[in-house]
Amino acid sequence: MAGLGSLVACAASRVPANAPSPTNAGDRDASTGAAGLADNAVHGDATDAGPGTLDVAESAVASGVRDASVAEDDSDATAKLVFDLTAARSGESKVAVLVNVEAFRASTAGRQLAPVVAAITQKEDFAHIDDLGVAWLLFTGPSMLNSAHGTLLVYCAASDAKIDKWLDSRRSDPHSAPVDAGPGVHAVVGRADRAVRIFMRPQSHLLAMVPPELSTEAATVLRTARIPAHADPGEAFRFRAKDPHRVMSELPGSVTEVRFWIAPRKDQGADFFFESDTTGAAIVAQQLHDFLDREVDVSTRNLTLGVFDHPDITANGDVAQVHIRATEAQLAAILQVILADFRP
């Protein structure tokens, strides 16, 4: 999911230290940001789209819908449109990630975590997305290792004209016309994470990135869907994955689903929560406790000001739970430890 990570990094990494609390995203134009939509993100005037339009399916085929360099990690991976923000809590999709960028901006805890996101990701696929005033983004997909069949929704504060200009910068062929996705839907064929995608604005302030096979459904459904301008202000980040053992080898095969989320607190600290659905939850809870004891050495404990010293690890029915409470100082210490790994 490198492409997703790129977007998260761009959306969260340039939050000013004195960022104000979020306002109504639909009522303001996000004209601030680093250097606007210049550089290599936009080539020429987006209003000159070229002659005519192409059908979505024709454009996708012409650009090469299937990319042999993208290996499937799930034989049953099938694209499915998901636009309900609750997908990050429960649902049929194998993986779901919700990033509440407004929550990152609104608290010291979120602003401290933003550079970590930027450090562990690459931005090439989504250059200058931060200029669009992202409020939240939701990624869902049928695979944890291959995002080619996943869908991405982004709610932006920027004007529709500015979003459309950014979309035009994503075209695989800068001289190609937008694709015909129906009345009022601006759409182009582009690439992200080594796969062909349809980038579109199906309604005001909403940006969507979908696999070509979902383009018609996405344009039809999202054009009239009720999409919230804001995510839950009490959570900055939430991740859910089914059958995670293949990617997270530390987890036993009995774990059927994991959930992780970050909740900034009013005291400028943050709560980190991790849950796993599994048979024998008490045993898994003990394994998680042993894992932290084994992997977090004395030096790391000292550098992070003891944030891992007293994790609350419990078993509740078939759910193993971990809760780590971090103060503002501990968050700053965690930040320094993580960023140190990425310095040259």
Side-chain angles (χ1 to χ4, degrees):
M1 294 188 295
L4 171 65
S6 303
L7 180 53
V8 174
C10 286
S13 63
R14 295 182 181 176
V15 178
N18 60 346
S21 298
T23 57
N24 189 332
D27 294 335
R28 56 190 171 86
D29 177 85
S31 58
T32 60
L37 292 178
D39 300 330
N40 59 355
V42 174
H43 304 278
D45 187 354
T47 59
D48 182 12
T53 59
L54 296 175
D55 178 79
V56 171
E58 292 176 354
S59 297
V61 172
S63 300
V65 172
R66 297 299 177 214
D67 187 343
S69 66
V70 179
E72 288 291 348
D73 67 296
D74 297 294
S75 59
D76 61 344
T78 303
K80 183 178 181 180
L81 178 66
V82 178
F83 58 90
D84 188 343
L85 296 188
T86 62
R89 296 177 179 272
S90 63
E92 298 180 2
S93 61
K94 187 165 186 177
V95 61
V97 182
L98 175 64
V99 182
N100 184 358
V101 181
E102 287 185 323
F104 274 93
R105 294 191 190 110
S107 72
T108 300
R111 293 193 295 273
Q112 288 195 85
L113 292 170
V116 177
V117 179
I120 62 177
T121 57
Q122 298 177 347
K123 302 183 181 182
E124 287 79 2
D125 281 345
F126 293 95
H128 298 288
I129 189 71
D130 51 325
D131 290 319
L132 299 184
V134 175
W136 56 259
L137 63 90
L138 172 69
F139 176 87
T140 60
S143 169
M144 291 185 65
L145 295 178
N146 179 5
S147 67
H149 297 294
T151 66
L152 179 69
L153 296 184
V154 185
Y155 196 93
C156 305
S159 67
D160 291 345
K162 195 169 188 178
I163 296 172
D164 291 350
K165 191 174 183 180
W166 184 88
L167 287 171
D168 287 332
S169 76
R170 303 310 311 153
R171 296 181 196 171
S172 297
D173 179 358
H175 303 292
S176 67
V179 299
D180 184 4
V185 179
H186 190 86
V188 301
V189 177
R191 296 180 67 84
D193 221 3
R194 300 178 300 161
V196 175
R197 313 297 176 94
I198 303 297
F199 293 80
M200 67 174 68
R201 181 184 56 77
Q203 61 173 270
S204 184
H205 298 294
L206 185 65
L207 188 158
M209 184 191 78
V210 301
E213 61 267 33
L214 282 185
S215 57
T216 300
E217 178 188 1
T220 301
V221 173
L222 293 175
R223 188 163 51 236
T224 58
R226 297 188 63 179
I227 306 295
H230 310 284
D232 182 352
E235 292 183 4
F237 178 86
R238 182 175 275 271
F239 167 83
R240 179 181 60 80
K242 292 180 179 293
D243 304 320
H245 176 70
R246 181 171 182 178
V247 177
M248 305 173 188
S249 58
E250 297 85 359
L251 296 174
S254 62
V255 175
T256 58
E257 182 174 298
V258 295
R259 295 171 296 278
F260 171 75
W261 67 100
I262 301 173
R265 297 197 309 272
K266 292 183 179 179
D267 64 2
Q268 305 307 326
D271 290 315
F272 296 82
F273 297 92
F274 176 81
E275 290 183 346
S276 60
D277 295 345
T278 179
T279 56
I283 296 175
V284 173
Q286 183 61 49
Q287 291 173 330
L288 291 171
H289 190 283
D290 295 342
F291 173 79
L292 287 176
D293 278 346
R294 181 175 66 253
E295 297 297 325
V296 183
D297 58 23
V298 174
S299 175
T300 302
R301 291 177 187 275
N302 290 336
L303 289 173
T304 58
L305 306 182
V307 70
F308 298 106
D309 286 354
H310 304 289
D312 183 13
I313 303 177
T314 58
N316 184 8
D318 290 333
V319 180
Q321 301 170 317
V322 180
H323 174 203
I324 295 177
R325 185 179 178 88
T327 65
E328 182 178 1
Q330 287 171 330
L331 280 176
I334 293 171
L335 172 67
Q336 294 305 314
V337 170
I338 295 176
L339 291 182
D341 291 335
F342 296 92
R343 295 191 181 107

